[in-house]
Amino acid sequence: MEYTGSKYIGQYVDGRMEGKAEYILPTETRYVGDMKDGMFHGQGTLYFPSGSRYDAIWDKGLVVKGTYTFADGLQYDGENWHYCDSYDRRFYTEICFGLKPAGISQLTNMDPPRKIPDGCYDCGDGFYDPVTRIIKDYRNRFLRNADPGEKLRSRSLCVPKGGVSVTLTACLLASSHLLWMPISRLDWRPAVP
């Protein structure tokens, strides 16, 4: 653990992580659940720093079945996903709490929206600075260095301050995995006239 920056709180069997446990990654993502032979195995939940979570059944480190729940309580359903589709374009917070009065626009699911630093891009789990090629979390703490592929994704899909993405999809970087979702699910910013 000392080499990876991770922390393990739980049982060991023959020197291997096994049983009920909590495993904390350097990104502050936490796994709470069953371990077997050093891998996620059985019932377990990944808790992300953003407040979202992934409840799953694991088999030797691989997901058998799981449910992703955003920090605002919206659950992702891969087969029947109807959030913010062509039929209903409301944000989840508008579905839960109603629409704002006429003349007051809600431009993101988060209200009020995040303030994006000048020259940076909001890439779902933090801000990407193309000058330094560093991604910092929303509390301005170092998250990771952007690899070349991530640099291209961030510049073409994620949203710069004062801009609108030219595509209908955007990236959400959860931990080190890339998830695709409708751009309206992220905190995007419209162009200022």
Side-chain angles (χ1 to χ4, degrees):
M1 299 307 156
E2 62 188 84
Y3 300 111
T4 64
S6 300
K7 182 178 179 182
Y8 177 75
I9 303 165
Q11 303 166 337
Y12 288 89
V13 174
D14 296 326
R16 309 279 300 186
M17 296 179 282
E18 196 154 318
K20 298 285 183 194
E22 180 175 359
Y23 189 87
I24 305 167
L25 299 160
T27 60
E28 297 181 20
T29 297
R30 293 182 311 121
Y31 171 81
V32 177
D34 299 324
M35 301 281 287
K36 184 174 182 181
D37 199 25
M39 296 179 277
F40 302 166
H41 189 82
Q43 189 74 33
T45 301
L46 282 170
Y47 296 93
F48 298 98
S50 65
S52 60
R53 63 188 280 166
Y54 188 66
D55 300 294
I57 298 172
W58 306 80
D59 184 32
K60 298 178 186 171
L62 300 174
V63 172
V64 174
K65 183 178 181 179
T67 303
Y68 185 86
T69 306
F70 294 93
D72 59 12
L74 178 65
Q75 285 191 342
Y76 175 74
D77 181 346
E79 293 183 23
N80 298 307
W81 183 249
H82 297 295
Y83 172 75
C84 220
D85 62 9
S86 59
Y87 175 73
D88 186 352
R89 302 293 301 165
R90 294 177 296 166
F91 291 108
Y92 186 63
T93 51
E94 292 174 317
I95 293 169
C96 293
F97 306 111
L99 297 172
K100 296 208 175 281
I104 300 175
S105 298
Q106 182 171 332
L107 302 175
T108 69
N109 190 52
M110 181 183 288
D111 191 39
R114 267 186 207 104
K115 299 211 181 317
I116 301 174
D118 288 332
C120 293
Y121 296 80
D122 186 350
C123 58
D125 65 343
F127 299 119
Y128 168 68
D129 184 337
V131 175
T132 62
R133 296 188 342 191
I134 290 175
I135 298 171
K136 292 185 177 180
D137 68 12
Y138 294 123
R139 292 182 275 180
N140 202 33
R141 295 177 307 173
F142 176 83
L143 198 55
R144 65 183 172 279
N145 290 313
D147 63 42
E150 190 168 53
K151 177 182 171 186
L152 292 173
R153 283 190 302 273
S154 294
R155 295 190 97 172
S156 65
L157 296 173
C158 295
V159 182
K161 182 175 184 175
V164 171
S165 175
V166 295
T167 64
L168 294 177
T169 58
C171 60
L172 169 67
L173 301 169
S175 188
S176 62
H177 302 288
L178 186 63
L179 301 172
W180 295 96
M181 61 184 48
I183 188 157
S184 56
R185 187 68 197 124
L186 294 177
D187 295 321
W188 61 279
R189 307 290 186 267
V192 177

